[in-house]
Structures are given as C-alpha cells and as structure tokens.
C-alpha cells in the first residue's frame, strides 16, 4: 500500500488477488509504463460471445450499434481477454491451459523485455516467446503463457497465486496470476474456460 506495507482485506487480513482487485495504483509510474495491455470497446464484443451471451443479448448491450451474430466473430474466451491480470482454471485433465496476450509499446525508446514468472513449486509456466523486442511506438507483440501442474495431477491447493513480469532496462511490467482448481461460477452450455492444452 502507500505505506509500503502488505495490503489488507476488509477484515484486516492479508489480501489475496481476489480481494485486492486492481490493487494500489502508482500514478507516477502509470505515466510511463513502457508496455500496456491495450484493448478497445469493440474487443469486448467477441468476449461477450465467449461468455455465452446470445446474439439478442449482445446486440442489446451494444445498441445503438447494428445487431450482430456471434457465429461471425472470433470468440474470445474469458482467459484470453487482453487484460493485465491472468486467471486460469486447472479443473480438468491434462491440468494445463494456454493463455494469449498482446502487449503494446508506449515508450519512445527501443526496448527488449525478458519474461520472468513466479509461481508456487507445484505449478510451472512457459512463456512463448520469452523475449520481446520493440522498436516503434504502438508496436504490438503477442505471447502465450502455458500454465500447468508439474506432476500432471490435480492441484492440491484451492487457489495459487503468482506473477508474470516483463523486465527491460527501464521498466518492469507486472501481471498477477491466479490459478484455481475450480471455477468461481457455474458454467452454462456455451461459456467455458476455452480450449485447453490437448483439446482438439
């Protein structure tokens, strides 16, 4: 927090990623973050389709924009929304999930960023590619994170936390990672966690 003390929840206990939300904002660093997870309002439309909303519901939300069909859009699943935080559910075999993200350079200087992942010993993560180079402002680079249990078995913990950091000479771009052995919501017939490693 602002006193450089661990953040607490509403009960005065150490806050986890669920209770912390967006966390503490540092306005000075936010003026020059180096990289951002950029997205527009239009990007949320295929995300709504991925959550299981039908055409009528999506069209009602985006009104007065013209009606649309989710079948004509590339669906964005919950795990792949280009959001700074990463949440995955390792609730089914093979207990591994791929997550996709895109980073946009907002720094005027050339930058090379190396990926660094911190997770509990029972989990592993592979970032592909693990080095990103940026030469121009607004240049976009994509990457994938594969998170899995190390032994290929179900998680023993209910929830595990970690972080992904993209580190350059000037910046550290951090994304919190939340891994759960169960979903936080009841899945309907359309909304799901997206394609898992090994799914066809």
């Amino acid at each position: 927090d602002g006193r450089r003390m661990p953040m607490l929840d509403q009960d005065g206990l150490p806050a986890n990623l669920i209770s912390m939300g967006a966390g503490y904002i540092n306005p000075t660093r936010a003026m020059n973050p180096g990289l951002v997870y950029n997205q527009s309002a239009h990007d949320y439309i295929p995300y709504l389709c991925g959550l299981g909303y039908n055409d009528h519901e999506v069209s009602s939300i985006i009104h007065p924009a013209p009606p649309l069909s989710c079948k004509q859009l590339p669906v964005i699943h919950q795990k792949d929304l280009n959001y700074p935080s990463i949440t995955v559910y390792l609730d089914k075999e093979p207990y591994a999930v791929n997550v996709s993200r895109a980073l946009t350079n907002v720094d005027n200087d050339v930058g090379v960023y190396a990926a660094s992942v911190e997770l509990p010993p029972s989990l592993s993560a592979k970032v592909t590619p693990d080095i990103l180079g940026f030469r121009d402002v607004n240049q976009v680079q994509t990457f994938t994170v594969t998170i899995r249990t190390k032994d290929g078995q179900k998680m023993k913990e209910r929830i595990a936390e970690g972080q992904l950091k993209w580190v350059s000479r000037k910046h550290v771009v951090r994304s919190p990672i939340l891994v759960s052995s169960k979903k936080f919501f009841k899945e309907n017939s359309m909304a799901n966690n997206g394609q898992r490693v090994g799914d066809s």
Side-chain angles (χ1 to χ4, degrees):
D1 61 13
R3 303 166 299 169
R4 297 187 178 276
M5 300 292 289
M7 295 187 69
L8 305 177
D9 63 16
Q10 67 273 15
D11 297 319
L13 301 173
N16 59 26
L17 293 179
I18 297 174
S19 57
M20 196 179 302
Y24 179 76
I25 305 300
N26 186 320
T28 303
R29 290 187 179 181
M31 293 295 292
N32 184 22
L35 303 175
V36 296
Y37 291 89
N38 199 22
Q39 57 186 343
S40 66
H42 187 269
D43 294 328
Y44 281 90
I45 297 175
Y47 172 63
L48 291 172
C49 295
L51 288 178
Y53 288 91
N54 61 41
D55 293 348
H56 175 73
E57 292 168 332
V58 173
S59 297
S60 296
I61 293 171
I62 66 173
H63 180 78
L68 52 78
S69 171
C70 285
K71 291 181 179 179
Q72 299 176 350
L73 298 174
V75 171
I76 297 178
H77 295 287
Q78 180 183 5
K79 67 184 179 66
D80 291 321
L81 181 67
N82 201 42
Y83 199 70
S85 62
I86 296 173
T87 300
V88 298
Y89 304 104
L90 299 183
D91 59 332
K92 294 180 181 179
E93 293 181 348
Y95 303 112
V97 174
N98 289 326
V99 177
S100 299
R101 290 290 186 276
L103 282 166
T104 301
N105 182 39
V106 292
D107 195 342
N108 290 320
D109 294 334
V110 173
V112 177
Y113 292 78
S116 172
V117 181
E118 299 173 12
L119 283 173
S122 60
L123 299 172
S124 69
K126 180 180 180 181
V127 183
T128 307
D130 58 359
I131 301 289
L132 296 178
F134 296 88
R135 292 185 175 276
D136 303 311
V137 177
N138 294 325
Q139 182 181 354
V140 178
Q141 297 272 21
T142 60
F143 66 92
T144 300
V145 185
T146 301
I147 300 174
R148 65 176 72 241
T149 57
K150 279 190 175 178
D151 59 4
Q153 303 298 314
K154 186 176 181 179
M155 288 175 58
K156 296 180 176 62
E157 312 96 324
R158 171 68 175 86
I159 290 175
E161 298 181 357
Q163 61 180 349
L164 163 65
K165 293 188 291 186
W166 287 99
V167 183
S168 74
R169 292 184 299 104
K170 292 175 57 179
H171 302 285
V172 177
V173 181
R174 176 182 174 273
S175 291
I177 299 174
L178 180 70
V179 184
S180 176
S181 61
K182 296 181 180 179
K183 290 187 174 65
F184 303 132
F185 55 89
K186 186 175 181 181
E187 188 174 77
N188 65 27
S189 59
M190 290 183 64
N192 57 63
N193 187 42
Q195 188 174 36
R196 294 177 177 78
V197 176
D199 286 353
S200 58

